[in-house]
Amino acid sequence: MSLEAATMTITLFFQIITSLLLITTTASSSPPGGFTIDLIQRRSNSSSSRYLNTNQLEGGSTYANTVFDTSEYLMKLKIGTPPVEIEAILDTGSDLIWTQCLPCLKCFYQHDPLFDPSKSSTYKEKLCQDSPDHTCPYLVHYNDGSYSKGTLATETVTLQSTSGQPFVMPNTTIGCAHYSSGFNYTTGSGIVGLGWGATSLITQMGDSFQGLISYFFSGNGTSKINFGSNAVVAGDGVVATTMFLKTERPGHYYINLDAVSVGEKRIETLGTPFHALDGNMLIDSGTTYTYLPGSYCNLVQEAVDNVVTAERVARTWPNLVCYKSKTIDIFPVITMHFSGGADLVLDKYNTFMYMGGDVFCMGIVCAPIIPNAEDAIFGNRAQHNFLVGYDSSSSLVSFKPTDCHALWSNGVRETKPRESLSTLLFFVRVFTWFVSLYLFFH
């Protein structure tokens, strides 16, 4: 081979490689952008229900890491400049991001230091539109009796994805809580609202994320929350149902439950006061159990009693139905039939919980259990081991049975395009090495 021929060959090769690189880069950077964050599992013996009551806000005009408790999931984020890391409950049932702040006049105990707004150069209290000379207060009441009260402000919020790339959100509306009560944990310091409202995290992330979020809750192991393009739920096994907005509870994610099957017995909502066509169940990541209205729930629990031969035991918590058993195998499979043919087959682990001492309790609870609660709620326990996606642009909630470890092998799902680039560069080096050898010997 002549030197000119070798040069032409190398040039042609690099043109091909460059084209492949451009194709790969274009395919991997299609809008909207996305990332994921690990979740934190907080362990507790209590249940919780954090969705808002009708008085939501008074005075209020990513692939990411999470933490899990048996009742709630928390995510890590940073607030302020310089950024201060906090852990807060992940809550699709509310719309505000808030954390406890100094001075805290009545606060629950938290392990980490309270956020000090005086030490942040980007903290700015919001002024109310009807009173521009005064700061804008907020008051959030949750239906389990807990509350948060303080001042609305704008601040820089930073999310750190496991890819190592921070997502910075300047001038984000947050609540700086000076009074809070009813929260019985020590690692968390507040709540991250993920509803449809104007002050929620996903809304303030901007249009490029198209209101797309999804999460995977694991009772044991890695849990994740995804934003933007990373949040798309697709593939084999996906079932999807329509999301509904209700004027009386704006910003909440409602779905429509048509029936519940206990084993082979299907209990229809049709013919009961619970029946609806425009959403009768709130899907909420901040509530542990699944709640059904009393009369309909009694039909479901009767069907369970007809299948389970184990002895009923004294209730360890109001309205909780419990059985004495050494194994979960005796319990029936429960299927939630949502509108549009979305039949969600739940694992026994999703609906029956081991409470210790050979006692299992049903994770479907008959309302009223929460003071003043009127909604049926699809809680986070029933959502374990599903990839759950919310797409506000198409008004769909999607569920996909998921092996978390397979989905996030090595913990970083979005590295595949980079792995493809690395492979191409490897072949470039190998080809160049062979050409160099050929030229050297000829």
Side-chain angles (χ1 to χ4, degrees), residues 150-385:
T151 303
L152 290 177
T154 58
E155 182 58 285
T156 297
V157 173
T158 303
L159 304 178
Q160 184 69 45
S161 75
T162 53
S163 68
Q165 297 298 318
F167 180 74
V168 181
M169 301 170 57
N171 300 315
T172 300
T173 297
I174 68 166
C176 209
H178 303 297
Y179 302 84
S180 48
S181 180
F183 302 88
N184 58 353
Y185 52 85
T186 58
T187 56
S189 64
I191 285 182
V192 177
L194 288 171
W196 280 7
T199 58
S200 78
L201 176 65
I202 185 62
T203 302
Q204 295 191 82
M205 290 174 77
D207 294 339
S208 64
F209 285 85
Q210 298 184 353
L212 289 168
I213 59 171
S214 66
Y215 51 72
F216 178 92
F217 290 159
S218 172
N220 183 20
T222 304
S223 298
K224 306 280 185 180
I225 179 169
N226 312 293
F227 301 95
S229 59
N230 273 28
V232 175
V233 179
D236 296 337
V238 173
V239 297
T241 189
T242 302
M243 286 194 300
F244 298 90
L245 286 177
K246 290 183 174 290
T247 55
E248 63 270 25
R249 291 191 184 277
H252 287 44
Y253 302 102
Y254 277 90
I255 51 181
N256 207 81
L257 183 68
D258 291 339
V260 174
S261 288
V262 177
E264 298 300 320
K265 181 175 178 56
R266 180 173 171 127
I267 302 104
E268 301 285 348
T269 63
L270 185 64
T272 73
F274 184 42
H275 180 67
L277 298 175
D278 60 348
N280 58 6
M281 175 171 270
L282 176 73
I283 179 169
D284 184 13
S285 65
T287 294
T288 308
Y289 300 137
T290 291
Y291 296 88
L292 294 174
S295 59
Y296 180 77
C297 184
N298 289 336
L299 298 176
V300 174
Q301 289 192 341
E302 287 173 10
V304 172
D305 275 337
N306 290 335
V307 175
V308 178
T309 58
E311 175 190 355
R312 286 272 291 266
V313 299
R315 297 167 179 172
T316 57
W317 198 62
N319 285 25
L320 209 58
V321 174
C322 303
Y323 301 87
K324 189 172 184 61
S325 176
K326 294 181 180 296
T327 174
I328 200 173
D329 296 336
I330 68 168
F331 297 103
V333 171
I334 293 179
T335 303
M336 311 292 280
H337 303 280
F338 297 112
S339 61
D343 299 333
L344 196 64
V345 181
L346 302 178
D347 191 275
K348 294 179 181 182
Y349 164 84
N350 294 106
T351 50
F352 296 93
M353 300 168 296
Y354 179 64
M355 309 298 283
D358 295 338
V359 173
F360 285 84
C361 292
M362 191 173 171
I364 297 177
V365 181
C366 293
I369 183 60
I370 306 168
N372 304 316
E374 300 174 354
D375 291 300
I377 305 172
F378 192 55
N380 64 45
R381 176 71 181 220
Q383 300 174 50
H384 282 195
N385 300 321

Side-chain angles (χ1 to χ4, degrees), residues 42-170:
R42 185 181 65 80
R43 300 207 171 272
S44 167
N45 293 323
S46 63
S47 171
S48 63
S49 178
R50 297 299 180 201
Y51 78 98
L52 294 178
N53 66 17
T54 51
N55 298 318
Q56 293 184 49
L57 286 176
E58 298 178 12
S61 1
T62 341
Y63 169 58
N65 286 338
T66 67
V67 185
F68 173 70
D69 180 353
T70 52
S71 64
E72 290 162 340
Y73 291 81
L74 296 90
M75 63 176 284
K76 292 184 178 181
L77 65 160
K78 295 179 181 178
I79 293 178
T81 306
V84 176
E85 185 173 86
I86 67 168
E87 295 176 3
I89 295 172
L90 187 73
D91 189 19
T92 58
S94 63
D95 298 329
L96 181 66
I97 309 162
W98 65 264
T99 187
Q100 296 191 128
C101 296
L102 291 175
C104 222
L105 305 177
K106 181 183 178 182
C107 288
F108 57 86
Y109 172 78
Q110 66 178 62
H111 181 269
D112 294 327
L114 295 169
F115 178 67
D116 187 350
S118 68
K119 294 183 178 179
S120 173
S121 62
T122 48
Y123 179 86
K124 185 177 180 181
E125 292 183 337
K126 296 190 74 169
L127 301 179
C128 283
Q129 294 180 351
D130 57 351
S131 182
D133 295 330
H134 296 87
T135 58
C136 199
Y138 78 90
L139 174 61
V140 182
H141 284 291
Y142 300 93
N143 273 64
D144 62 352
S146 58
Y147 71 89
S148 172
K149 180 181 178 181
T151 303
L152 290 177
T154 58
E155 182 58 285
T156 297
V157 173
T158 303
L159 304 178
Q160 184 69 45
S161 75
T162 53
S163 68
Q165 297 298 318
F167 180 74
V168 181
M169 301 170 57

